[in-house]
Each structure stands twice: as C-alpha cells, then as structure tokens.
Amino acid sequence: MMDKVKFNAHRYEKMLYRRCGRSGILLPVISLGLWHNFGGVDDFQTAKKIIFRAFDLGITHFDLANNYGPPPGSAEANFGKIIKNELKSYRDELIISTKAGYLMWDGPYGEWGSKKYLVASLDQSLKRMNLDYVDIFYHHRPDPQTPLEETMGTLDLVIKQGKALYAGISNYDAEKTKEAFSILKNYGTTLLIHQPKYNMLNRWVELDLLSTLWDLGVGCISFSPLAQGILTTRYFNGIPKDSRAGKKHGFLKKEEVTEEVMNKVKRLAKIAEQRGQTISQLALAWNLRYKTVTSVLIGASSVKQLEENVKTIENLEISEHELEQIDDILKS
C-alpha cells in the first residue's frame, strides 16, 4: 500500500478563504486552474509538483474542464492519476470542478448545452479523474440553440443523481445569468458560482454582471486574471518560445501582445513596485478588490510561479489613489 503523502500541517492557517455567494462553501482567494500546463503535451512530474505545492499552500480548489489539455481530456486524466495515487485520502478537503460546453468530440452531440452532451461529458470526466462526483459542474458557455431550461435542468439532474454537488455557469452575461438562476431555483437547486473572464485589460463584468451576482448571492471566480500572462513580466522583452503566445497550442495570440498593451503593463508594474509587489501580484489583488469576487483562478508552469502568485494575499489592500492611477493607465 502506498504511503500517504504528507502536506504542511499548517496549510490552512495562512491562506485566505472567502464565502462563495450566500452558500456554505469557502474558497481560497487563489485557486489553481488546469487549463494550461497540465495536459498530455506537458511534463507530468512538474504538473504534480505544482498541484502538491498548491495544496501545501492551502489551495483547496482545483478547476478543470472536459477539453483541457491538449489533447482534450488529458488534463483531467493526469489529475485523475494524482487523485488515485496520492490525493485520494484528501478528497474531502478538496473542491474539484469541471465543465462542459466547448467542442469535445465529433458529431452533433459533442458540444454546447444539450442534456445528451452534458450527461455524457460529466460521466467521461468522472472516469478520467477517478471520482465518484465533482464538487462543481459548470455549463462552460451559453448555447444559443438549446433551451436554457434543458441545460439548467441537466445541471439539476446531475446534482440530484449525486454526480455533482453544486451548479455553476461560465461566460454568461448578466441577463442570461438571471434566467439561469431563476430556472435552477424553480427546480430547487441553487446556482453556486459564475466563472467569467476578468482582468485589468478585460473589464466587461463591471458593467452589470458583478452587481447581478451580488444581488443574487452567487459567487464569482474569475479566469485569466493575468490575461494569460500579459499582466506579468513575461513579455517585457518580446515573446519567449515557451510562453503561451509562443507555443503552437497556446490560446494567447501573438497579435494580442501589442506595444500599446505592454506599455500600459510596464506602467502598472511601476505602481506594483512601489507597493513592494510584482505586476502579477498587483493584478490579482486588483481583481480581488470586489467582495463579489470569491476567488481568482491562476495557472502555473512552475512551483516558483505558483508561490509568487500566492504571495499576493500578503498585500490585498489597494488605496483609492492607487486605483485612480491604475484607471488612468488602463484608460489611456
């Protein structure tokens, strides 16, 4: 029998946790997303070290989706190996989420929001991850064709079947979020959380989504809080070959890393420096300035990068003057 992996006994004492909406769930303000760096094309031992160190630092929430890799499904499969071999005895200390909505397999039932697709996808995800259930199951993107009642009804179904504990949505606008919340409520299920893209360079959620989530009592966990690495020093001297913009399978396009954007980031980095932070730490703290934002999802390609980002919690307060300076730079 394999010895139980030992983690820092004080791991929960330094991490900060926020209540997710009006639920009973607390999430770490920094969560680990497995969108990049944990797939079949990546080094498995490095991925495992990052996951172990994350848990050692008090990160209890690991976020996946059916199509994470590449290839699709491989991030879940790799995570499943770690669950089976090392983390199984810690299952009750973990929040594990997955999603379905984007293209996963060929044919008309391999994407979007039908009951056929969502049920099949979740069953596949559970097998890949060696789990009996996930804590959160998300619909990954709105489906313009499938009735929302069918999609939300499926989230309710898998919860009542015990395959998921909580329902989540991602990439929904405020109006669709209200509709989804109402439909789930009629089924007797609460919408726990919304996962939107939110960072200094993409502030769409501030228009009406954040206020809607606050009013509904729904938690918010933002993805791409560092704009896939743009809000770091990674691209200060061009595009490295091993970066997200440099890799063939990366989601960040080279044309997004413009001189204009990088000039703003360099100016933001000076504010961060004055605060004794890195630009990435400032960007994460800025994202967490709203109480509505329960957690931010970070990616990591190394343990060092993970540790740097987690240090954000040592300085989350941003003054009004600093916020004005940041706004001036972002609007320039």
Side-chain angles (χ1 to χ4, degrees):
M1 187 175 175
M2 190 173 293
D3 291 338
K4 184 176 179 179
V5 178
K6 290 182 174 61
F7 292 96
N8 178 12
H10 304 287
R11 60 187 175 276
Y12 298 124
E13 294 171 12
K14 289 188 177 181
M15 177 52 67
L16 300 176
Y17 299 88
R18 286 185 180 178
R19 188 162 300 280
C20 191
R22 288 195 283 267
S23 76
I25 288 295
L26 294 172
L27 292 181
V29 294
I30 307 283
S31 297
L32 183 63
L34 277 68
W35 183 16
H36 297 275
N37 305 313
F38 297 88
V41 299
D42 301 297
D43 182 72
F44 179 73
Q45 292 304 319
T46 299
K48 186 160 74 170
K49 286 176 185 175
I50 294 169
I51 290 169
F52 279 15
R53 184 59 179 144
F55 188 44
D56 216 36
L57 290 169
I59 292 177
T60 53
H61 181 212
F62 297 89
D63 178 83
L64 299 102
N66 58 356
N67 63 334
Y68 287 177
S74 59
E76 287 184 332
N78 283 339
F79 189 69
K81 290 177 190 174
I82 296 169
I83 288 289
K84 182 180 180 181
N85 296 326
E86 287 102 0
L87 290 181
K88 191 173 183 179
S89 59
Y90 294 98
R91 175 65 182 97
D92 293 338
E93 296 181 46
L94 304 175
I95 295 287
I96 300 169
S97 60
T98 195
K99 317 176 197 72
Y102 286 97
L103 181 63
M104 186 58 191
W105 62 83
D106 293 338
Y109 320 118
E111 63 178 323
W112 294 110
S114 71
K115 180 187 285 188
K116 168 76 172 172
Y117 167 62
L118 294 179
V119 170
S121 179
L122 180 54
D123 285 347
Q124 291 174 20
S125 291
L126 292 175
K127 287 178 183 176
R128 281 192 291 266
M129 291 192 286
N130 292 300
L131 296 173
D132 297 322
Y133 69 93
V134 290
D135 296 277
I136 307 168
F137 184 49
Y138 288 88
H139 185 223
H140 208 163
R141 61 170 171 170
D143 182 345
Q145 303 299 324
T146 302
L148 197 54
E149 288 79 6
E150 178 177 342
T151 302
M152 293 303 109
T154 306
L155 294 186
D156 172 68
L157 171 68
V158 297
I159 287 170
K160 287 173 177 169
Q161 288 176 331
K163 295 177 183 178
L165 300 185
Y166 296 95
I169 56 176
S170 182
N171 297 303
Y172 277 56
D173 64 21
E175 212 49 49
K176 281 292 181 187
T177 297
K178 290 177 189 175
E179 288 181 46
F181 178 90
S182 178
I183 293 167
L184 282 170
K185 187 176 181 181
N186 287 337
Y187 282 123
T189 291
T190 301
L191 178 62
L192 175 75
I193 195 166
H194 187 304
Q195 187 176 135
K197 188 175 188 176
Y198 180 41
N199 56 60
M200 286 175 161
L201 305 174
N202 188 344
R203 302 176 66 173
W204 72 277
V205 302
E206 295 174 10
L207 184 63
D208 54 3
L209 181 61
L210 287 180
S211 59
T212 295
L213 296 177
W214 181 262
D215 292 343
L216 296 175
V218 175
C220 176
I221 181 166
S222 53
F223 75 90
S224 287
L226 301 179
Q228 295 198 68
I230 293 178
L231 291 165
T232 70
T233 58
R234 192 83 162 111
Y235 300 102
F236 276 18
N237 299 304
I239 299 176
K241 288 183 179 179
D242 62 343
S243 66
R244 289 194 186 184
K247 293 178 181 178
K248 289 182 180 179
H249 56 269
F251 282 86
L252 180 63
K253 307 302 178 190
K254 288 182 179 180
E255 51 268 27
E256 294 179 62
V257 189
T258 65
E259 185 179 352
E260 180 187 356
V261 168
M262 292 317 302
N263 283 338
K264 289 183 180 181
V265 177
K266 287 173 182 178
R267 290 172 65 193
L268 292 167
K270 290 179 181 178
I271 296 176
E273 189 178 356
Q274 291 166 4
R275 289 168 47 83
Q277 286 183 315
T278 64
I279 173 59
S280 59
Q281 289 167 347
L282 173 61
L284 294 175
W286 180 89
N287 209 296
L288 287 162
R289 74 196 187 284
Y290 285 115
K291 291 180 181 178
T292 320
V293 179
T294 314
S295 181
V296 291
L297 271 173
I298 62 165
S301 58
S302 67
V303 168
K304 182 181 177 183
Q305 184 184 29
L306 171 77
E307 290 172 340
E308 178 191 317
N309 287 335
V310 171
K311 284 181 181 177
T312 300
I313 64 176
E314 296 172 6
N315 187 9
L316 288 177
E317 296 299 319
I318 305 178
S319 70
E320 285 299 320
H321 177 62
E322 287 170 330
L323 287 173
E324 288 172 6
Q325 286 181 302
I326 291 167
D327 275 345
D328 287 344
I329 293 170
L330 296 176
K331 290 174 182 176
S332 64

